[in-house]
Amino acid sequence: MTGTWTTIAYEAQFLAAVAADSDRVTVTAPATSTTGLPMHRVDITTATGNVPTIMFVGLQHGNENAGREGLLTLIRDLAVTTDSAWVSLLDRARIVVLPNTNPGGFPDHRNIPGQPTSENPNRQHLSLEYAEQRFIQQTITDVSPVIVIDCHEDPNTEKLRPQAAMSNAAYAGLYATGLQLAWAIRDWASSNGIPNEFYGNVTHPGLLTQTAQLRHAVGVLIEVSKQPSDAERVTTYSNVLGVVIGWLDGHLSDLVTASAASRAWAAGNVTERDFPFPLAPTGVTINPPPISYRNLAAWPVNLDVLGIDGSTTEVLMLQDGALLIPYLLDPDSQYKITTATRNAPPVPQPAPEQSVVPELWVRGKRDGVVHPVAEIIHKRQGELLWVTEAWRKADGVQVKVR
């Protein structure tokens, strides 16, 4: 630290020096803030192959400075550590740190410059109105983290308060895994005489940790009290982040399993369309969920930033961003970013008489129409993503098609 807090100028010098001294560290500035300041991304790993990504985010609120300072310290420590647990984690994972995601608000202003004081930067990860949130979400698109840890401070309590994100629209295993980390933080605090409790669950899908969960990452928010002195706050944050790194080393496989299960669960539910989709907080439940959204009035940049595939003609639900799409496009969502039409599943036709079907036939999910397999292969080059039924003529037995 230089003075009370590391200055914006010194942040860049510090990160450049750390990267120059360690071949584990890569520093880039892929985006600039609303006020034109650089926003840094720091990648730390000793792995050479494809490994899972752990993501830390700091300073969404520009006056919550200890989290940023703790992350800068963490970057330095990871760059040079010889601790066996930390080295083991770096051998098996990539750690991506965004230490300062609101440089224009630093050090005294909570919000992004130009943002109304009534708004909250950490409620706009669907609307993506500002460069700051777009930077965070674009990074998630680029690195597909298995966990996102969001670092905050709270001026209204003396307690340390972690939170595991819990969304009714997301895979429950993500919350269960995040809760383990939240409890590890609380257990450490209790053993060190630090008052602690869980931060109350916020069901706003535009909260970073909630959006991360809809994107198949465990989401954990950490709130450290702002009431102690600056130095004490930074010390507490550094200690908490050390607890987090230790937990991550022991539970990396749990995170990978939960993230993969979330992707499979979301794709499976879209494929079978048997999962009512709750649009928080309106109380509207889409049942059954659509197979796509059509006739978009525009293609907002949000869709690209969030990794959504499609066009204004049609956005299929059968993709990695399936849990985000209803929030962004459904007519009943209060967070919709353009107008679109919900394309409901078709009503299946009755099965044809066996005597009039070819040797093998399938029913298409998108249109509910029965097609000979030869026709499907010819028209879609063997793509069976939308097949819902298949029958073998010889014995009338229904068979599975994968």
Side-chain angles (χ1 to χ4, degrees), residues 296-380:
L296 280 64
W299 185 266
V301 67
N302 310 45
L303 298 172
D304 291 323
V305 172
L306 292 165
I308 306 297
D309 294 325
S311 68
T312 55
T313 303
E314 186 171 31
V315 176
L316 299 178
M317 285 284 285
L318 192 62
Q319 59 176 291
D320 202 58
L323 301 180
L324 291 172
I325 292 171
Y327 283 114
L328 299 169
L329 300 180
D330 197 87
D332 288 329
S333 172
Q334 72 180 62
Y335 307 109
K336 61 181 178 290
I337 56 174
T338 188
T339 59
T341 302
R342 190 188 297 165
N343 181 24
V347 177
Q349 294 177 334
E353 293 294 329
Q354 290 292 312
S355 60
V356 299
V357 299
E359 185 63 26
L360 181 67
W361 61 267
V362 296
R363 188 192 306 284
K365 280 194 171 184
R366 296 185 64 186
D367 52 17
V369 174
V370 171
H371 301 272
V373 164
E375 178 187 358
I376 293 288
I377 293 174
H378 175 70
K379 289 187 174 180
R380 302 186 187 174

Side-chain angles (χ1 to χ4, degrees), residues 40-96:
H40 294 106
R41 168 181 155 181
V42 183
D43 290 42
I44 314 164
T45 189
T46 54
T48 56
N50 184 22
V51 293
T53 296
I54 295 160
M55 183 169 161
F56 291 86
V57 176
L59 208 80
Q60 282 208 72
H61 298 128
N63 62 348
E64 298 177 9
N65 305 308
R68 167 182 176 255
E69 213 69 43
L71 289 174
L72 292 174
T73 301
L74 179 66
I75 291 166
R76 180 201 62 199
D77 292 348
L78 286 168
V80 299
T81 186
T82 58
D83 180 275
S84 58
W86 290 37
V87 170
S88 170
L89 181 62
L90 291 176
D91 284 343
R92 296 176 293 122
R94 171 175 55 165
I95 296 178
V96 173

